């Protein structure tokens, strides 16, 4: 015969909303015990006390909370600062400027750089010391500039 805890685990596996509420700590355990009591009693073939079910649910809740935080180790942590983010309209940058910009950013392989193209914009994230070089390579007026950013790589 299955234990009350096993039956409650099965009920929770089949009830996504209750499981999510339990994982977030929102589930009213006594109310849920009353809700699933008929199914648990039918499976066990005997009466089951709501308080007993609530205690079992609290144990399941502790197990669930502990399993949500996966164990991990940080093997390497790298911080890059200060970074500079500049965005241009894609239509205003020539292919020659884009090639020169890419070549400029590939000079130093130890630095964090990112060159992203979307349908309408080109965004460059690079160390702040490249800011004057980027502006001199691209003749277009920037749409957006953000300074004092950092990148964390784990």
């Amino acid at each position: 015969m299955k234990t009350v805890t096993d039956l409650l685990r099965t009920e929770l596996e089949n009830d996504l909303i209750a499981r999510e509420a339990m994982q977030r700590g929102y589930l009213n355990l006594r109310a849920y015990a009353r809700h699933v009591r008929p199914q648990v009693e039918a499976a066990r073939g005997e009466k089951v006390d709501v308080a007993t079910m609530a205690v079992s649910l609290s144990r399941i809740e502790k197990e669930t909370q502990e399993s949500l935080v996966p164990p991990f180790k940080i093997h390497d942590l790298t911080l890059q600062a200060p970074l500079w983010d500049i965005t241009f309209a894609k239509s205003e940058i020539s292919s020659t400027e884009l090639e020169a910009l890419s070549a400029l950013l590939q000079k130093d392989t130890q630095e964090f750089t990112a060159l992203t193209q979307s349908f309408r914009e080109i965004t460059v994230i690079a160390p702040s010391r490249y800011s004057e070089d980027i502006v001199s390579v691209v003749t277009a007026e920037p749409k957006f500039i953000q300074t004092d950013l950092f990148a964390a790589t784990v």
Side-chain angles (χ1 to χ4, degrees):
M1 178 180 290
K2 286 192 170 187
T3 65
V4 171
T5 304
D6 291 337
L7 293 169
L8 289 169
R9 276 194 187 101
T10 302
E11 289 296 323
L12 284 166
E13 286 173 11
N14 296 324
D15 189 344
L16 297 175
I17 295 170
R19 188 172 58 213
E20 179 74 19
M22 179 179 273
Q23 288 174 341
R24 293 176 183 258
Y26 302 149
L27 185 64
N28 181 328
L29 302 180
R30 289 187 67 84
Y32 188 71
R34 283 191 298 273
H35 176 70
V36 297
R37 185 179 187 184
Q39 294 90 316
V40 172
E41 288 179 342
R44 286 205 38 105
E46 62 186 19
K47 294 278 186 192
V48 181
D49 186 43
V50 171
T52 301
M53 293 173 61
V55 169
S56 292
L57 284 168
S58 70
R59 290 186 187 125
I60 294 169
E61 184 177 41
K62 286 179 186 174
E63 293 169 7
T64 304
Q65 296 293 335
E66 291 170 4
S67 69
L68 287 178
V69 181
F72 71 96
K73 284 186 177 184
I74 296 177
H75 296 286
D76 188 23
L77 174 66
T78 306
L79 296 175
Q80 297 278 326
L83 297 176
W84 197 61
D85 176 340
I86 185 166
T87 301
F88 300 97
K90 188 174 184 178
S91 60
E92 296 180 20
I93 295 181
S94 68
S95 59
T96 307
E97 290 175 328
L98 193 55
E99 287 176 17
L101 191 56
S102 181
L104 172 71
L105 297 176
Q106 290 178 1
K107 279 197 281 187
D108 192 353
T109 59
Q110 299 299 314
E111 296 289 345
F112 177 90
T113 59
L115 178 66
T116 306
Q117 294 185 56
S118 69
F119 292 111
R120 295 187 182 115
E121 297 176 336
I122 294 176
T123 299
V124 179
I125 301 173
S128 294
R129 70 172 183 276
Y130 288 119
S131 59
E132 291 178 15
D133 295 334
I134 292 169
V135 172
S136 69
V137 168
V138 180
T139 57
E141 191 67 31
K143 290 176 68 174
F144 175 81
I145 296 176
Q146 176 73 46
T147 59
D148 296 328
L149 299 174
F150 74 95
T153 306
V154 179

